[in-house]
Amino acid sequence: MENLRIPGPTPCPADVLQAMAKQMINHRGPEFGQMLNGVTTSLKQLFQTKDDVFLLTGSGTGGLEAVIVNTLSPGDKVLSVSNGVFGERFATIAQQFGAEVTPLRFEWGKAADADAVRQALQAEPQIKAVLVTHNETSTGVTNDLASISSVVKEFDKLLLVDAVSSIGSINLPVDDWHCDVTVTASQKGWMAPPGLAMVSVSQEAWQAHSKARMPRFYWDFAKAKSYLEMATAQTPWTPAVSTVFALSVSLEMMLKEGLPNVIARHARVGRAAREGVKSLGLSLFTKESYASNTVTAVAASNGLDTKKMLKILREEHQIVLAGGQQSLDGKIFRIGHLGWITEDDIEIVISALRVVLPQAGFKG
Ligand SMILES: Cc1ncc(COP(=O)(O)O)c(C=O)c1O
């Protein structure tokens, strides 16, 4: 079996996999309804929100599209805070549906700066919403969402958050930080297979929804809400039933561990990854002050051929790490450490790297 250490999909515990093997049930029947209500209640606890939470069948990108089409109209001005691949993707979706996007870009590997967000909002009073990626998976940076949020709310704008690789692993109190829509996906820190996006929707987001005119059908939050509130809770369209089975088990595990403990475990694991990487003579791609606790990005230096390294790790050690995306291809590699993970799992990766790095040209 491969040791999968990419930032999603992540390995699933045996009980979660077993849940996936269950026979299909009627997705409009009482058994599914009960499970859907249970999963939704658990997610609200883990999102730290009292507002609505919906399960959408799709990937994280589908969830990002849902955020855009449910809150905006063509021609709306949007500020995109971006410091990597996923920030750019969020902005592109908004643009494709007709929003007028003002980009606020930060160097890849650096964190977004709340003061710069303030200046951008001062310069353009017509902006309606701000798009932010909490944890930029492509660079291993966790943005200071609390500070960004307080700026966004100073100006009374909608805060739309890509929390795909953070929430459930890194602290993100949705209500306290006034996130209007927050998106994640089942294959990240949730210890479940791909198939579901999960979104929270605030009262302000509902107000925006009532005026939003971007075309939407499959992703319509109003449909998700009306079906969830039926006597037998359901989703408007056939859901990824097996992934819901899996998620109901993994959420139970997370609640049993307790959210503060899950977050603390990720902090310990993140620290172990960074310390381990440095002990090998490698450099982190980001500053430690904003390095992510779910994915560590490592700079390729001192002759390291990352592609060769990834190949040897995979073929000879059955360890799968991630390379860099887009302009970071060949320049960094990434260790995913979210979901079902402990410090021991990181130790295995670091020990293998110790053997493989010199074989892949590293002269550190
Ligand atoms: C921060 C972030 N946003 C969005 C996505 C896209 O999610 P998906 O691949 O599930 O569409 C990812 C996936 O890696 C991500 O890490």
Side-chain angles (χ1 to χ4, degrees):
M1 197 178 64
E2 275 182 341
N3 192 349
L4 187 63
R5 298 295 164 210
I6 61 173
T10 60
C12 301
D15 286 353
V16 174
L17 292 179
Q18 246 162 35
M20 291 282 291
K22 275 175 35 179
Q23 184 55 278
M24 286 303 102
I25 57 174
N26 176 10
H27 65 297
R28 306 210 181 279
E31 194 184 338
F32 187 83
Q34 220 170 14
M35 180 169 61
L36 183 60
N37 278 332
V39 164
T40 306
T41 304
S42 302
L43 282 171
K44 283 187 187 190
Q45 276 180 260
L46 295 164
F47 274 56
Q48 304 177 68
T49 184
K50 295 198 164 39
D51 284 326
D52 289 305
V53 170
F54 302 121
L55 285 189
L56 310 172
T57 288
S59 77
T61 306
L64 294 179
E65 184 171 314
V67 177
I68 298 295
V69 300
N70 276 285
T71 56
L72 299 171
S73 299
D76 276 350
K77 287 189 194 298
V78 166
L79 180 69
S80 144
V81 179
S82 161
N83 54 346
V85 169
F86 295 104
E88 288 302 304
R89 184 180 300 179
F90 207 0
T92 303
I93 296 168
Q95 211 156 26
Q96 297 239 330
F97 280 90
E100 246 184 70
V101 176
T102 301
L104 177 61
R105 293 194 169 98
F106 297 89
E107 194 184 322
W108 289 17
K110 300 249 162 75
D113 172 28
D115 287 334
V117 175
R118 181 179 285 108
Q119 281 164 23
L121 290 174
Q122 263 157 359
E124 185 47 275
Q126 299 301 319
I127 282 169
K128 181 174 171 192
V130 180
L131 313 181
V132 184
T133 309
H134 182 206
N135 187 72
E136 185 40 85
T137 321
S138 65
T139 60
V141 167
T142 303
N143 287 313
D144 181 356
L145 185 60
S147 302
I148 294 171
S149 159
S150 62
V151 169
V152 171
K153 291 303 167 184
E154 244 174 64
F155 290 81
D156 206 19
K157 310 296 181 189
L158 271 186
L159 177 59
L160 308 178
V161 182
D162 174 342
V164 169
S165 62
S166 61
I167 196 164
S169 310
I170 295 172
N171 191 36
L172 201 185
V174 164
D175 287 354
D176 287 354
W177 290 0
H178 308 289
C179 301
D180 291 305
V181 188
T182 316
V183 190
T184 183
S186 52
Q187 80 277 16
K188 299 291 182 178
W190 305 97
M191 305 189 291
L196 294 168
M198 293 95 93
V199 294
S200 67
V201 183
S202 75
Q203 293 312 311
E204 288 80 356
W206 279 117
Q207 282 163 21
H209 176 278
S210 68
K211 298 186 204 103
R213 293 291 165 262
M214 282 188 183
R216 57 177 184 252
F217 182 80
Y218 184 82
W219 297 127
D220 194 340
F221 291 162
K223 291 195 184 82
K225 188 173 171 69
S226 66
Y227 277 77
L228 186 62
E229 289 174 353
M230 284 178 171
T232 302
Q234 15 191 313
T235 53
W237 333 117
T238 310
V241 173
S242 302
T243 309
V244 184
F245 282 147
L247 191 64
S248 73
V249 172
S250 66
L251 294 179
E252 242 174 69
M253 292 172 70
M254 289 174 76
L255 289 172
K256 196 163 164 214
E257 185 177 353
L259 182 60
N261 295 328
V262 173
I263 291 167
R265 176 167 53 80
H266 281 85
R268 285 197 310 274
V269 165
R271 202 173 315 121
R274 295 189 289 277
E275 292 305 318
V277 159
K278 287 189 294 179
S279 77
L280 298 169
L282 288 163
S283 306
L284 299 171
F285 181 60
T286 64
K287 272 199 191 152
E288 291 208 57
S289 54
Y290 44 71
S292 166
N293 286 333
T294 58
V295 53
T296 294
V298 185
S301 58
N302 295 331
L304 177 63
D305 178 342
T306 56
K307 295 208 166 120
K308 191 167 175 190
M309 181 201 83
L310 293 172
K311 186 168 187 285
I312 302 172
L313 274 173
R314 191 179 68 245
E315 290 177 354
E316 295 178 20
H317 299 263
Q318 293 73 51
I319 292 175
V320 183
L321 303 185
Q325 293 169 279
Q326 298 181 6
S327 63
L328 294 176
D329 185 27
K331 298 198 175 125
I332 63 168
F333 70 91
R334 293 171 300 149
I335 307 170
H337 38 79
L338 66 171
W340 191 40
I341 178 100
T342 64
E343 289 102 314
D344 290 347
D345 299 311
I346 294 298
E347 188 45 46
I348 293 168
V349 173
I350 300 298
S351 300
L353 278 171
R354 192 164 283 122
V355 175
V356 172
L357 285 172
Q359 299 168 343
F362 183 63
K363 295 182 189 66

